[in-house]
Amino acid sequence: MTFVRIKFIHAQFQSRSLYFILFPLTQQASMEYKLQNMLLGFCLSLLLANLGSSVSDDGLVRMGLKKRKYDQAVRASDDRSSNGGHGVVLKNYLNVQYFGEIGIGTPPQTFNVVFHTGSSKFWVISANCFFSAVVCDTHAKYNSSWSSTYKENGTDAAIAYSVGAVSGFYSSDSVKVGDLVVKNQDFIEATREADGSGIFSKAKFDGILGLGFQETSPNSSVPVWYNMIEQGLVKEQVFSFWLNLKMDDPVGGEIVFGGVDPNHFKGKHSYVPLTRKGYWQFDMGDVLIGDKTTGHCSKGCSVTADSGADLFAGPTSVVAMINHEIGTDGVVSQECKAVVSQHGSTILDLLIATAQPEKVCSQIGLCAFDGTRGVSVGIRSVVVNESVGDSPGSCSACEMAVVWMQYQLKQNQTPEHILDYVNDLCEKMPNPPQLSYVDCNSISKMPSISFTIGGKAFQLSPKDYILREGSDPASRCFSGFTAYDVPPPGPLWTLGYIFMGRYHTVFDYGNLRVGFAEAV
């Protein structure tokens, strides 16, 4: 059995940095995500670390990282760790974003990359990158003339992410991951980066190595993971993520290609089958606040396990409920408050009287109805070319109010209490481009948040989902839950490092499933 391990090392918090979720925008996804005006880039602490590699007695290649301050790490790209392995600069974003080192070419040219399960594309910055000086001049660049195994391709390539875009051309070369060498691997030499959010210029990673399915980009090159399997480099068609969130531990985490390390978890993994072979997408059950159901996913919700995401992203309606219970400081939504003021009592009466809550918003004229659920009349007008007066936002606000009121009705609350609760949620409804801050002194009083996967409740405690910037009395805390509304066929939840840090995650390509167990 062949394993390849990549270990991540913690870095102490510095002043400020970039915090983000990367979504590759395929042709279909681009239509979905571009409907959302949400910037998934957040400024926090830029954390870097150093990586080395060694071969242990069990035949596994271990790539360990050291703590380094920012300025030291930038200058240490050719340093050596204590075990003689080759050093690497690693970025650790508040314990929820990790990068590792790979080599491309012969001899290997080293690059720090994001190992991204939400994409199948593989790119690094090219020596021919002349268009984005801030990006090109501050990152490692691939030079094909330095490699004896380079093969020319030249096909144009472009990738759009939710926070930026890269373009360039395809090349082929050997790629070294741990002690495995993937031969004739196609990848994109990025010559230009559209960086509207500033993520590529501020971050120190040199590229992204996709671990998603080729179905996300059917006309692109064969992914690295596929070639690992095709070339017989791994016996088991699985890879697994373990993240160590103990800040005083020099080892920050590990990816294992071709197997699972039993020292990374306890108990047994709970596996769920994939529902979409493209992203690592599966079905999730109920969402609980404390021990109380929100009722949001009673009929199931789609969710992805995404190592390119750091926060836990979900529909605004439920994230607002979670952040309300946490006690975040949000922003006022005038449209939400207007809908509640004008229609709140009617919505509540209809919910009490009807067995079909999905029709409530269409019954009062704020949404159309497609036979199964309310649909924004604004969106519907585009589809069927009808003239309507209400805005799509009114429909969304009504749908959120329905979710919130259902939650309170399950708690047998009075109508007066329910309307007050909904108005309060409108006040604290999360603003997507911003973080939701909380009082660091109130963490012990916050409820647990649980997600039902494969019939088992996976619980996150406040220490799991509250992120802290700094360690002194002046430090700030904020919620790890962020709002992200994906249009139909959404909604879609995203499990980022907030969840994967708490639960060891196995990506089982051979059996098309994902497994979770408590990390150690």
Side-chain angles (χ1 to χ4, degrees):
M1 181 184 304
T2 302
F3 293 75
V4 176
R5 300 172 179 235
I6 296 177
K7 284 188 177 179
F8 303 104
I9 299 303
H10 288 297
Q12 297 295 333
F13 295 167
Q14 303 302 314
S15 56
R16 299 194 65 79
S17 89
L18 201 62
Y19 198 55
F20 66 96
I21 300 175
L22 284 174
F23 286 102
L25 300 183
T26 60
Q27 186 174 15
Q28 176 185 0
S30 178
M31 295 175 64
E32 297 175 356
Y33 294 130
K34 285 182 179 178
L35 289 174
Q36 311 302 312
N37 257 337
M38 172 174 166
L39 176 63
L40 292 178
F42 303 105
C43 290
L44 293 178
S45 302
L46 182 58
L47 309 174
L48 304 178
N50 183 266
L51 170 73
S53 66
S54 63
V55 180
S56 63
D57 293 338
D58 57 7
L60 306 182
V61 176
R62 305 173 185 270
M63 304 176 70
L65 313 176
K66 290 182 176 181
K67 293 181 181 179
R68 284 186 181 271
K69 292 186 181 295
Y70 174 78
D71 57 345
Q72 294 174 322
V74 170
R75 296 193 299 267
S77 59
D78 196 36
D79 193 14
R80 299 278 172 173
S81 67
S82 59
N83 60 18
H86 187 73
V88 65
V89 177
L90 246 220
K91 276 65 67 175
N92 174 345
Y93 287 18
L94 200 60
N95 274 8
V96 290
Q97 192 67 54
Y98 300 83
F99 308 166
E101 182 182 274
I102 63 168
I104 303 178
T106 307
Q109 302 170 42
T110 58
F111 302 90
N112 294 319
V113 296
V114 175
F115 293 92
H116 188 7
T117 59
S119 171
S120 63
K121 296 290 187 67
F122 173 27
W123 63 269
V124 295
I125 297 174
S126 172
N128 295 312
C129 178
F130 301 116
F131 299 97
S132 308
V134 175
V135 176
C136 300
D137 296 343
T138 57
H139 294 81
K141 298 183 287 290
Y142 171 78
N143 192 324
S144 60
S145 65
W146 296 351
S147 174
S148 63
T149 48
Y150 162 74
K151 294 182 180 179
E152 183 179 359
N153 182 314
T155 304
D156 291 339
I159 312 172
Y161 294 99
S162 58
V163 292
V166 297
S167 59
F169 57 90
Y170 279 101
S171 291
S172 180
D173 210 331
S174 297
V175 175
K176 189 173 187 294
V177 183
D179 68 337
L180 300 183
V181 177
V182 181
K183 297 180 179 179
N184 302 316
Q185 175 63 52
D186 289 337
F187 63 97
I188 297 171
E189 289 193 48
T191 58
R192 185 164 189 164
E193 299 184 350
D195 194 12
S197 67
I199 184 172
F200 296 129
S201 60
K202 295 177 183 178
K204 300 299 178 181
F205 62 85
D206 308 310
I208 293 175
L209 192 154
L211 294 174
F213 290 88
Q214 192 169 11
E215 280 78 357
T216 61
S217 304
N219 298 320
S220 64
S221 63
V222 178
V224 174
W225 171 242
Y226 282 54
N227 278 329
M228 282 186 181
I229 297 172
E230 179 66 25
Q231 296 177 22
L233 301 179
V234 292
K235 184 175 182 180
E236 293 189 56
Q237 296 183 20
V238 302
F239 57 89
S240 53
F241 274 78
W242 169 69
L243 302 178
N244 181 7
L245 302 182
K246 297 177 181 178
M247 284 305 297
D248 57 349
D249 194 322
V251 177
E254 188 172 32
I255 305 174
V256 178
F257 290 96
V260 177
D261 188 338
N263 295 313
H264 289 165
F265 63 93
K266 59 183 177 182
K268 295 183 178 180
H269 287 84
S270 294
Y271 286 93
V272 287
L274 299 183
T275 56
R276 181 183 178 188
K277 188 180 178 183
Y279 302 107
W280 289 88
Q281 183 173 319
F282 51 95
D283 285 339
M284 178 176 73
D286 202 3
V287 179
L288 296 91
I289 301 176
D291 58 355
K292 298 177 181 178
T293 176
T294 62
H296 175 72
C297 291
S298 58
K299 296 182 180 179
C301 288
S302 294
V303 61
T304 64
D306 191 344
S307 63
D310 33 29
L311 299 178
F312 204 129
T316 299
S317 58
V318 185
V319 170
M321 292 166 60
I322 292 173
N323 283 340
H324 175 269
E325 297 297 328
I326 292 173
T328 61
D329 291 325
V331 295
V332 176
S333 170
Q334 295 298 330
E335 190 156 42
C336 178
K337 291 179 69 67
V339 167
V340 175
S341 174
Q342 297 173 29
H343 305 285
S345 296
T346 303
I347 294 172
L348 184 56
D349 290 342
L350 288 172
L351 281 175
I352 295 172
T354 183
Q356 294 180 295
E358 66 273 11
K359 292 185 177 181
V360 167
C361 294
S362 60
Q363 286 180 291
I364 61 177
L366 295 181
C367 297
F369 185 69
D370 67 357
T372 59
R373 64 182 293 276
V375 180
S376 166
V377 288
I379 295 175
R380 182 171 182 264
S381 68
V382 175
V383 176
V384 299
N385 196 29
E386 292 182 357
S387 176
V388 292
D390 294 303
S391 70
S394 296
C395 176
S396 298
C398 178
E399 290 177 335
M400 285 190 289
V402 167
V403 172
W404 299 337
M405 289 182 183
Q406 283 182 286
Y407 174 67
Q408 288 294 294
L409 285 171
K410 292 177 184 295
Q411 316 306 323
N412 296 318
Q413 299 292 348
T414 65
E416 293 78 10
H417 176 90
I418 293 174
L419 291 175
D420 287 342
Y421 172 82
V422 174
N423 269 300
D424 195 19
L425 282 185
C426 283
E427 290 280 359
K428 295 188 175 182
M429 196 167 66
N431 187 27
Q434 298 179 2
L435 296 172
S436 297
Y437 290 94
V438 299
D439 182 358
C440 295
N441 297 320
S442 300
I443 293 177
S444 62
K445 302 175 183 178
M446 296 176 187
S448 62
I449 308 296
S450 301
F451 300 87
T452 307
I453 301 173
K456 178 180 178 180
F458 289 82
Q459 186 180 93
L460 297 177
S461 69
K463 69 177 182 179
D464 297 322
Y465 64 72
I466 295 297
L467 306 178
R468 190 170 193 135
E469 184 182 26
S471 56
D472 56 42
S475 63
R476 295 185 296 176
C477 296
F478 54 92
S479 169
F481 297 98
T482 188
Y484 192 72
D485 292 308
V486 177
L492 179 68
W493 290 80
T494 298
L495 306 181
Y497 281 123
I498 294 290
F499 188 88
M500 292 174 62
R502 178 71 174 82
Y503 295 101
H504 180 262
T505 306
V506 176
F507 295 85
D508 189 341
Y509 177 84
N511 294 299
L512 296 179
R513 61 180 185 170
V514 180
F516 303 98
E518 187 173 353
V520 296

